[in-house]
């Protein structure tokens, strides 16, 4: 089978044109995806909670975040469960002189071991 030079050039030009269109489409998809991610990131920042503070009975010795959005905070005298978004004290265990390794949240529950 003989392919003329003109047929080869025509084929290559068509292939380049097709590749060019595909690259343009890919660039558009990537640009759109980037914009979506940028806007989603901006929305996350807009929803971020305001800074808060909580009165505790001593110096903070450790803290851990749980899957349920509760901060476990150990002071020199107590263990606290604090709502991470608002800083509201949910509960307090007085006279609990614990180390960080003494507690372990059970994933997916509000149970502490």
């Amino acid at each position: 089978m003989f392919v003329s030079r003109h047929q080869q050039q025509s084929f290559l030009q068509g292939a380049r044109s097709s590749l060019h269109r595909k690259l343009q489409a890919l660039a558009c998809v990537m640009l759109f995806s980037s914009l979506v991610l940028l806007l989603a990131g901006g929305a996350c920042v807009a929803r971020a909670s305001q800074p808060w503070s909580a009165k505790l009975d001593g110096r903070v010795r450790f803290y851990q975040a749980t899957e349920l959005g509760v901060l476990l905070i150990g002071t020199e005298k107590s263990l606290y469960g604090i709502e991470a978004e608002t800083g509201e004290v949910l509960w307090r265990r007085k006279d609990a002189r614990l180390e960080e390794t003494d507690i372990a949240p059970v994933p997916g529950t509000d149970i502490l071991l």
Side-chain angles (χ1 to χ4, degrees):
M1 178 174 164
F2 176 75
V3 178
S4 72
R5 188 162 192 68
H6 176 69
Q7 288 174 323
Q8 289 176 350
Q9 288 176 343
S10 178
F11 173 78
L12 288 175
Q13 187 174 15
R16 283 188 198 118
S17 178
S18 176
L19 180 60
H20 183 71
R21 283 192 305 272
K22 288 178 182 176
L23 287 174
Q24 282 181 324
L26 180 61
C28 288
V29 168
M30 290 176 65
L31 178 62
F32 178 75
S33 299
S34 298
L35 288 173
V36 168
L37 289 174
L38 181 63
L39 292 174
C44 290
V45 170
R47 284 185 278 148
S49 64
Q50 296 295 319
W52 52 262
S53 62
K55 286 198 172 215
L56 306 176
D57 66 357
R59 182 180 65 84
V60 173
R61 295 180 65 204
F62 66 87
Y63 61 92
Q64 294 181 26
T66 69
E67 291 178 350
L68 300 177
V70 176
L71 289 176
L72 303 175
I73 299 177
T75 67
E76 297 166 325
K77 299 178 183 178
S78 301
L79 178 65
Y80 290 86
I82 296 181
E83 173 62 45
E85 288 289 318
T86 64
E88 174 189 359
V89 176
L90 301 172
W91 52 265
R92 174 183 173 201
R93 173 70 187 210
K94 295 179 183 180
D95 300 321
R97 293 184 177 95
L98 299 170
E99 299 297 323
E100 184 172 13
T101 56
D102 293 337
I103 61 170
V106 177
T109 71
D110 60 354
I111 299 172
L112 294 175
L113 298 178

